[in-house]
Amino acid sequence: MAQSCSDATFPEIVELNVGGQVYVTRLETLKAAPNSLLWAKFGQGSPDQLPKDNKGRFFFDRDGFLFRYILDYLRDSELFLPEFFKEKRRLRKEADFFQLPGLSRRLEAAGRDGSDDGGEQEEAELSSPATPSSSSDRTLSSLSGGGSGYITIGYRGTYTIGRDIQGDAKFRRVARITVCSKICLAKEVFGETLNESRDPDRPPDRYTARYYLKYNFLEQAFDRLAEAGFHMVACNSTGTCSSSDPTEDKLWTSYTEYVFCR
């Protein structure tokens, strides 16, 4: 009786914030694996016992990208990983945290069968290069054909100019800095500051236009590019104004791209 009362306190559709990634799923999915951590939290506990973010979503300080595979396993009791998936060991760590021994055993078996992507290579690709001469940099550079190539940095920014053009303006606000390049070049230059969640499974010799950085300072990106031996070769920008009324402040929105080459 106490358990059913506890269940009733949770909504049927649950919103989760896992490491900054938002997920929406059914309550029954979270309780699908008996004796797991999520089963205990959502099947035996109450909402008041779980931490929440500022929007009221239940918060778990874990790897937000890898949690998608945790949910898939809870839905289907099967393990389906994309080709070129290189984070089996990290996913096994997440499975252990969420107390899913069945998933942990499958991942462990995948490693024994040789279908894992290799411990040393995986660690090299996940680590953030400290200097251009680090071992991970040499590995990634060799995949990129001698380390040469292009990286395009793009951002959308806004700024406001008041009716008195001589007055103070609210200058550049950068929403997100995008990175377009070959996978291995982007990882070599930006390391752990690169957010790969929108395009996680491409092999290192392919190209992507979906990566973005975890910070919003263009100069920080430029510093990393300069340290890696890149030079700016081109840039372009477009801008639009949201208001033509002279009595209102003008909000300008711009999109700018910088092309770097090494």
Side-chain angles (χ1 to χ4, degrees), residues 21 191-198 210-214:
Q21 299 290 325
E192 65 183 6
T193 67
L194 191 69
N195 192 320
E196 308 171 41
S197 61
R198 294 169 61 197
R210 297 176 61 82
Y211 284 175
Y212 61 95
L213 301 179
K214 296 178 180 179

Side-chain angles (χ1 to χ4, degrees), residues 24-123:
V24 181
T25 188
R26 291 171 56 87
L27 178 62
E28 292 304 316
T29 299
L30 298 174
K31 300 189 298 178
N35 301 316
S36 68
L37 177 71
L38 294 173
W39 174 84
K41 296 291 187 183
F42 290 93
Q44 309 298 308
S46 68
D48 294 338
Q49 297 172 328
L50 293 177
K52 301 180 182 65
D53 66 10
N54 57 7
K55 293 188 177 180
R57 296 175 292 223
F58 298 109
F59 179 76
F60 289 87
D61 189 16
R62 302 300 299 180
D63 191 309
F65 161 64
L66 293 178
F67 187 73
R68 62 189 288 196
Y69 300 109
I70 301 293
L71 273 186
D72 285 346
Y73 178 78
L74 291 174
R75 293 185 183 109
D76 305 319
S77 297
E78 295 287 344
L79 176 61
F80 298 104
L81 296 177
E83 192 176 4
F84 305 110
F85 186 79
K86 297 185 181 298
E87 301 193 62
K88 291 190 182 73
R89 290 198 298 171
R90 291 183 64 178
L91 180 55
R92 194 161 68 224
K93 187 180 298 184
E94 295 302 301
D96 291 341
F97 174 82
F98 286 105
Q99 300 172 21
L100 295 169
L103 178 56
S104 297
R105 285 194 296 270
R106 291 174 188 233
L107 290 164
E108 185 177 1
R112 286 199 305 267
D113 293 342
S115 58
D116 209 339
D117 292 290
E120 291 183 3
Q121 181 179 358
E122 178 181 340
E123 288 300 321

